[in-house]
Amino acid sequence: TETATLNPFVQIDPDLLQPAKLATRVRVLATDDALWVAARCDDEAGTSGIQQTDLRRDFSLSRGFDWFGVVLDPLGDGRNAFGFFVTPWGSQHDVQVIDDDITETQWDTVWSSAVTRDEKGYTVELKLPWKSLRIDSERLVWGFNAARAVRRTMERTAWSPFPRNFSPFRMPYAGQLVF
């Protein structure tokens, strides 16, 4: 069992590459059955600062909600990815990106999440079972990114920065997760 802590996030919007206004701390853990991702998303406004108008599964990432998510490229090809996002109120969004161009939002796989909220932000826990991901058990390096949106401040942040006209699904800009 290995664990890793990600470096501080930087802004994508509004001020590319500047430090994030609100801290996001992420830990990643690989166990025999799943990849676990935990994130603490600070927000001094607490739950009153969280904005979400849609509680449906597969909510729109571009509609101006608060969310946290990860994008994985387990094939390591820089063109195909899986994204897992959750809002502070627990709505889930999963997506498959094919050939760096086709976004398949109707793709649904088995995964779970838990969210807790408090007066200083929210905490997210994602469990991504290995059997739900197309993985090559011999591949020890994956493309990986973590991102967050804060509607109240109009801020998008990420662990591995990408140009603002792209999404976190652009795996050539992703960092690496090494097992």
Side-chain angles (χ1 to χ4, degrees), residues 6 23 32 43 58 86 96 109 118 135 139 143 160 171 176 179:
L6 302 185
D32 288 340
D43 190 335
D58 293 330
V86 66
Q96 180 179 18
T109 192
D118 58 45
I135 63 169
R139 178 166 295 287
S160 183
M171 297 317 292
Q176 293 184 331
F179 294 94

Side-chain angles (χ1 to χ4, degrees), residues 9 67-71 84-86 126 145-148:
F9 280 35
W67 51 256
F68 168 82
V70 296
V71 182
F84 300 91
F85 298 84
V86 66
L126 307 176
N145 207 353
R148 178 181 176 192

Side-chain angles (χ1 to χ4, degrees), residues 9 22-27 37-44 46-47 68 115-125 148:
F9 280 35
L22 300 172
T24 306
R25 293 176 302 286
V26 179
R27 297 205 59 159
V37 179
R40 176 62 189 175
C41 301
D42 290 346
D43 190 335
E44 70 277 357
T47 56
F68 168 82
V115 180
T116 57
R117 296 165 304 283
D118 58 45
E119 68 280 352
K120 295 187 180 186
Y122 63 99
T123 302
V124 174
E125 185 179 281
R148 178 181 176 192

Side-chain angles (χ1 to χ4, degrees), residues 31-36 57 72-75 81-84 92 94-97 107-113 126-136 142:
T31 63
D32 288 340
D33 64 333
L35 181 67
W36 293 80
R57 182 174 172 92
L72 309 169
D73 176 8
L75 300 175
F82 301 109
F84 300 91
Q92 295 179 330
D94 50 9
V95 61
Q96 180 179 18
V97 178
W107 175 78
D108 290 316
T109 192
V110 176
W111 63 292
S112 59
S113 63
L126 307 176
K127 180 183 179 186
L128 310 173
W130 300 122
K131 64 184 179 181
S132 295
L133 303 171
R134 273 186 272 148
I135 63 169
D136 174 358
W142 290 11

